[in-house]
Amino acid sequence: MSPLNGPAERERTGARGRTDAREQTEASERTGAGERTETSERTGAGEAPGVPGAPAPRSTASPRAPLTWLYAPGDRPEVVRKALASGADIVIVDLEDAVAPHRKAYALDATADLLADDHPVPVHVRVHTPRDIPTLAPLPGLRGIRVPKVTHATDIHRIAGLAPGLPLYPLLENALAVEHAYAIATAHPAVRGISLGEADLRADLGVREDSGLDWPRGRVVVAARAAALPPPVQSVHPDVGDLAALAAGCARGRAMGFFGRAAIHPRQLPVIERAYLPTQQEIDAALEVVEAAATEQGALALPDGRFVDAAVVEGARRVLALAARTG
């Protein structure tokens, strides 16, 4: 596949003007009514208190926050239609790895036909080349662009210029991209999330064991948080028959700070959702913390000896908000 990046240029990591531009972008985003506005995969961003121009951290624990992101090959419209009815929170039409080279042109045309209409489920597209973007960007059904093989902030500047007003989701797929994670995350107000492309990254690093990716995973979690972006979405689990391994991987990802996971088959969706939703024990513990905080101000100790401060209370509130997703 052709990388989307050009020659290496000096990174620009400052976030000057990020908030104002983000607000202009968000005001024009599409919803089901045909206008672009804040949707479930994009939580609000304001200006951080006391930090002019800096984006405020976004809450990702809303009941509407997406947990499942289902890939479907762009050259198989019937599979994309099934994906839209699968219950996934977001459907990603893939024009890159899932499509053979001789099918790329057809996949682009078929995806453009699909996106001529809006859909109740947000649809993103993982493009193959920047040349795909002018065809797709004006279409009412497109809610976001996933940009593969990003290595520099300047890659994002170019893509944003081709898709004004569209949210961008860079994929970090090699060692250089991981090193530039924060610069990429803060490259442009259109960036709404970053994540790893683990198959390519694994090959680039020569990693044989899954634990060999722990450092890049931690790096992308920290970079996203530092940039006031939502926590990254985990990369796909390629073995659709091994749901136990998928569940174990999701549990580990959740513990590391990821939120939700991409999938390549509908059977993976309920496993991912169960892994990321809080257990009844977690809900009960969060309720205890929130109820205690409602009666006492500042730091406090629970009857079992646990120390609770403002950060713990905020974490408990996120657990309860996420639990509300299931009603």
Side-chain angles (χ1 to χ4, degrees):
M1 306 298 176
S2 300
L4 295 183
N5 56 289
E9 301 178 37
R10 185 178 303 275
E11 297 294 343
R12 293 179 286 187
T13 61
R16 297 188 302 272
R18 180 183 175 93
T19 301
D20 291 343
R22 187 185 302 281
E23 289 172 350
Q24 294 171 7
T25 299
E26 289 175 353
S28 63
E29 285 164 358
R30 300 183 182 96
T31 63
E35 298 174 353
R36 286 190 186 276
T37 185
E38 198 75 355
T39 58
S40 61
E41 74 270 26
R42 303 185 293 276
T43 53
E47 189 169 282
V51 187
R58 307 173 190 181
S59 169
T60 55
S62 162
R64 299 171 60 197
L67 286 176
T68 52
W69 311 60
L70 180 60
Y71 277 97
D75 63 336
R76 298 183 63 189
E78 74 285 359
V79 174
V80 176
R81 296 284 180 186
K82 290 179 181 178
L84 289 168
S86 68
D89 294 321
I90 293 175
V91 169
I92 305 170
V93 180
D94 194 3
L95 301 182
E96 207 210 12
D97 291 343
V99 179
H102 70 282
R103 301 268 293 175
K104 299 290 187 187
Y106 169 71
L108 179 61
D109 290 342
T111 301
D113 288 343
L114 173 83
L115 296 177
D117 298 316
D118 206 354
H119 300 275
V121 179
V123 179
H124 293 191
V125 174
R126 178 165 72 164
V127 295
H128 170 58
T129 168
R131 292 188 297 274
D132 296 339
I133 295 174
T135 299
L136 302 174
L139 300 175
L142 183 63
R143 298 288 187 87
I145 295 177
R146 305 189 78 79
V147 189
K149 297 180 173 61
V150 174
T151 55
H152 296 84
T154 49
D155 301 337
I156 296 302
H157 301 159
R158 286 188 287 271
I159 297 300
L162 294 171
L166 274 167
L168 303 180
Y169 296 82
L171 295 171
L172 315 184
E173 303 186 63
N174 58 39
L176 185 58
V178 173
E179 286 296 305
H180 291 162
Y182 179 73
I184 292 168
T186 57
H188 193 279
V191 174
R192 300 302 171 79
I194 58 173
S195 56
L196 295 176
E198 291 192 358
D200 283 7
L201 181 60
R202 189 185 300 271
D204 185 53
L205 297 176
V207 168
R208 296 185 179 183
E209 299 293 333
D210 189 69
S211 60
L213 293 179
D214 283 354
W215 189 89
R217 290 167 178 159
R219 171 72 177 122
V220 76
V221 168
V222 172
R225 178 59 182 167
L229 294 173
V233 176
Q234 273 190 280
S235 187
V236 301
H237 180 72
D239 187 346
V240 299
D242 194 346
L243 299 183
L246 171 63
C250 290
R252 181 168 177 77
R254 183 184 176 201
M256 293 187 71
F258 287 87
F259 187 85
R261 189 162 194 173
I264 55 175
H265 194 282
R267 73 177 62 161
Q268 296 178 316
L269 302 179
V271 177
I272 294 169
E273 184 157 306
R274 282 195 301 270
Y276 272 94
L277 289 175
T279 65
Q280 188 59 51
Q281 183 178 3
E282 290 170 330
I283 294 170
D284 292 343
L287 279 170
E288 185 179 10
V289 168
V290 171
E291 290 170 357
T295 60
E296 297 186 41
Q297 297 297 317
L300 59 118
L302 297 179
D304 62 3
R306 283 180 293 155
F307 180 77
V308 173
D309 61 9
V312 175
V313 174
E314 177 59 26
R317 288 178 178 143
R318 288 197 298 268
V319 168
L320 296 180
L322 183 55
R325 176 187 176 98
T326 61

